[in-house]
Amino acid sequence: MSVTEPVKASRAALPQQAELEQLVADALTHAQKCGASAAEASVSVDAGLSVKVRMREVDTLEYQRDRGFGVTVYFGQRKGSASSADFSPASIRETVEAACTIARYTSEDNCQGLADAALMARDIPDLDLYHPWALEADAAIALARDCEVAALDADPRIVNSDGADVSSHGGVRVYGNTHGFIGGYHASRHGLSCVSVGKQNDEMQRDYWFTVSRRPDLLEAAQTVGKKAAERTLRRLGARRVGTARVPVLFAPEVARGVLGHFLGAIRGGAQYRKASFLYDKLGEQVFPSFVQIEEQPHLPCALGSAAFDSEGVATVPRHLVRDGVLETYLLGSYSARKLGMQSTGHAGGVHNLVVQPGEFGFDELVRHMGRGLVVTSLMGQGVNMVTGDYSRGASGFWVEDGALAYPVQEITVAGNLRDMLANIQAIGSDVDLRGNVRTGSILIDGLTVAGE
C-alpha cells in the first residue's frame, strides 16, 4: 500500500537511554549555575503505530512520535516549572532559565522540594518492560481486518462494527534530580481491540473485547478477540430494564477495577490533606472485610504497572495497602507526605501493580452463590462523590435468578455508598483480569440498590 512506505521510513529507533541521561544531567547542572538550590528534570520519547479498520476498510492509519522535556527548579521553597519539545542544547538552557525566572516570583511553600535523598532508588532492577514489535502498516492492517472479520462472520446477527484497532508503542523515559539520582527505562505496550454491533428485530446492541501486553507474543490472537467481541454483543441482545430492588451485585473484573479505583482515589495524599475523602483519617482502621488483602507489587516482570521508582525518583517497594481488611498506608508523594507530616511512599504518579488476593470461587460459582441479583459488565456516568462516598452510576449487565444468568439488562442504575460497599464485599473471584495496573477478580457486594422501571 502506498501509505505503508512513509510509515516505514518514519519509524526511527528510539534514542539510547544514555543520551537522555546526559540531557537531564546537563539541565540539572545549568539549573544550579542559575542559582537553583535544587532541581529535577525528566525527558521522554515515545513512538508508535496505530491502525483502525472498520467494515473491512482502513479507517485510520497513524504513526506517532512524541517527545518532551520538563524541569522544575527550587529556590529555597519557591518553585518554578517549564517544559519544551525541543531537545537542542540552547532550548534546554532556555527552558531551565524560564523555570528559574518563574520560581523567583512564586510564593514560598514549606512543603515544596525534592523527595528525601534517602528514599531515592539506588539499585534499579531490569523489569523486562521493553519488547519492541517489528510491525509495519500492512501487517497491522491485516491483523485488524482478521479481527473484525472474525466478529462479523461469527453470527448473522452481527450486522455492523465500530472497528478493530491494532497499536504498537514503545518509549524511553529518564528522570533525574540534584540528589545525584538519574534513572530511566525503555517500555513497550501493544494492543488489539474490536467493537461489534448486533441486531435482533428492532433492537441493536454493541460490546467489545481487547487484549494488551508489553510483549506482542502474549497478545490474544486477532480471531479470538473478534469472536469474543461478537459473543459479548450477542449475549446483550434482548436486554430489558428491571424493577427497583436492593440486591447483591457482582461486578465483573473489567468493572471491578473501577470500584477499586475509587478506593485508591480516597487514600491518595492529596485527598487526605484536603480532607476531601470518604476515607479521611482511616489509616489503621477496618475498611474492608477481614478476608480482603490488597498488595502493591511494583517489580513484577513485564507487567503493565511495573516501575523501579516513582516520578520523583523514590524507590518503589512491595507493600500491603490493605491487610486483613485494615488500611495500612496512604498513597503519598513528597508534597502530600509533608502536608501530612509523613514520608513519601513512592506513589508520586500512582500505584504500581495493585494486586487483590483472589478468592477460591470463579465467576460462575459466585453467580450461583448470589442466588438473585445483578451482574454488572458495564458502567456509565460519573455519579461518584469522593467526599461523601455517594455512588450512583448507570449500568448494564445480567439479571440473576436461582443462581444463573436469566437475561441481559440495560438502562438501570446501581447506587450505594462507597464506604458501605467496601465494607460489604462478600467475595472476590478467582477470575483475575491481568489487563491493567489493577489486578482483581469479580467483586460481589451485598445490599446495593438497583433501579430501573
Side-chain angles (χ1 to χ4, degrees):
M1 296 178 63
S2 61
V3 292
T4 306
E5 293 309 318
V7 173
K8 286 181 178 179
S10 62
R11 294 196 71 181
L14 293 170
Q16 294 296 312
Q17 182 176 320
E19 297 176 41
L20 302 187
E21 289 178 351
Q22 187 60 55
L23 187 155
V24 167
D26 292 345
L28 297 175
T29 298
H30 191 60
Q32 290 177 309
K33 288 181 178 177
C34 291
S37 55
E40 56 188 336
S42 62
V43 61
S44 64
V45 178
D46 297 279
L49 172 67
S50 299
V51 167
K52 180 173 184 176
V53 167
R54 183 179 179 278
M55 297 306 291
R56 298 179 171 86
E57 297 295 332
V58 177
D59 189 53
T60 59
L61 171 59
E62 297 179 348
Y63 176 75
Q64 304 91 26
R65 189 171 181 86
D66 301 307
R67 61 186 197 171
F69 165 77
V71 61
T72 296
V73 300
Y74 301 93
F75 283 68
Q77 292 175 319
R78 299 194 304 275
K79 171 184 173 181
S81 299
S83 61
S84 175
D86 185 348
F87 288 2
S88 68
S91 176
I92 296 298
R93 289 193 298 271
E94 289 173 4
T95 304
V96 170
E97 290 162 10
C100 291
T101 299
I102 292 169
R104 293 187 177 97
Y105 289 94
T106 59
S107 58
E108 291 192 357
D109 184 337
N110 59 10
C111 293
Q112 298 282 18
L114 302 178
D116 296 345
L119 301 178
M120 296 294 105
R122 298 304 176 189
D123 298 314
I124 300 178
D126 179 3
L127 299 179
D128 193 29
L129 304 182
Y130 187 51
H131 295 269
W133 191 3
L135 182 70
E136 300 296 350
D138 51 355
I141 291 168
L143 271 178
R145 278 195 176 126
D146 289 346
C147 182
E148 187 191 45
V149 167
L152 293 171
D153 290 351
D155 189 281
R157 291 170 293 174
I158 301 296
V159 297
N160 206 335
S161 165
D162 279 348
D165 295 82
V166 174
S167 63
S168 174
H169 291 83
V172 56
R173 290 165 175 76
V174 170
Y175 167 86
N177 59 40
T178 49
H179 286 324
F181 172 83
I182 294 184
Y185 56 90
H186 282 72
S188 58
R189 184 183 182 96
H190 315 292
L192 175 62
S193 65
C194 183
V195 181
S196 62
V197 179
K199 183 177 182 180
Q200 182 172 277
N201 300 322
D202 293 330
E203 177 197 8
M204 298 186 75
Q205 296 285 352
R206 67 196 292 273
D207 213 321
Y208 72 98
W209 191 248
F210 73 96
T211 178
V212 61
S213 177
R214 294 195 182 277
R215 289 175 49 177
D217 59 307
L218 295 183
L219 295 174
E220 293 182 52
Q223 293 86 350
T224 300
V225 173
K227 288 177 181 178
K228 285 186 177 180
E231 291 167 0
R232 288 167 61 90
T233 298
L234 293 171
R235 69 180 187 172
R236 290 173 63 96
L237 291 171
R240 64 184 87 165
R241 300 172 72 183
V242 295
T244 299
R246 189 174 175 85
V247 294
V249 174
L250 181 62
F251 291 86
E254 58 267 26
V255 290
R257 63 162 57 97
V259 175
L260 293 170
H262 299 314
F263 159 68
L264 295 176
I267 64 171
R268 293 192 193 281
Q272 289 295 318
Y273 77 71
R274 294 186 181 97
K275 301 182 181 179
S277 167
F278 67 91
L279 292 179
Y280 171 66
D281 202 26
K282 296 296 182 183
L283 193 64
E285 296 188 18
Q286 193 89 27
V287 173
F288 293 85
S290 59
F291 66 84
V292 175
Q293 319 288 337
I294 303 178
E295 297 178 68
E296 183 182 27
Q297 298 179 10
H299 301 158
L300 294 177
C302 206
L304 292 171
S306 293
F309 53 88
D310 73 358
S311 61
E312 297 179 317
V314 174
T316 57
V317 295
R319 69 174 75 232
H320 273 84
L321 273 64
V322 174
R323 192 195 306 264
D324 300 331
V326 175
L327 178 62
E328 291 202 341
T329 184
Y330 294 139
L331 306 179
L332 305 177
S334 60
Y335 185 84
S336 59
R338 291 175 188 133
K339 280 284 192 181
L340 294 167
M342 304 174 78
Q343 188 178 73
S344 172
T345 56
H347 289 111
V351 296
H352 308 92
N353 297 325
L354 191 77
V355 179
V356 183
Q357 182 175 302
E360 58 180 314
F361 300 119
F363 179 84
D364 292 340
E365 292 168 302
L366 291 180
V367 170
R368 285 195 294 271
H369 174 76
M370 71 190 296
R372 177 177 183 268
L374 176 71
V375 171
V376 174
T377 58
S378 177
L379 289 166
M380 294 149 278
Q382 305 296 323
V384 180
N385 187 319
M386 291 298 293
V387 178
T388 65
D390 291 337
Y391 181 96
S392 179
R393 298 192 64 188
S396 61
F398 299 89
W399 189 252
V400 174
E401 289 284 357
D402 299 323
L405 301 183
Y407 50 83
V409 295
Q410 63 181 1
E411 297 179 4
I412 59 174
T413 60
V414 175
N417 184 278
L418 284 165
R419 191 184 302 109
D420 298 332
M421 289 168 63
L422 300 182
N424 291 332
I425 290 177
Q426 302 298 298
I428 296 172
S430 59
D431 52 337
V432 178
D433 186 351
L434 302 180
R435 298 172 301 168
N437 193 29
V438 177
R439 299 181 168 200
T440 181
S442 299
I443 297 180
L444 178 62
I445 301 177
D446 197 18
L448 293 179
T449 299
V450 176
E453 296 176 346

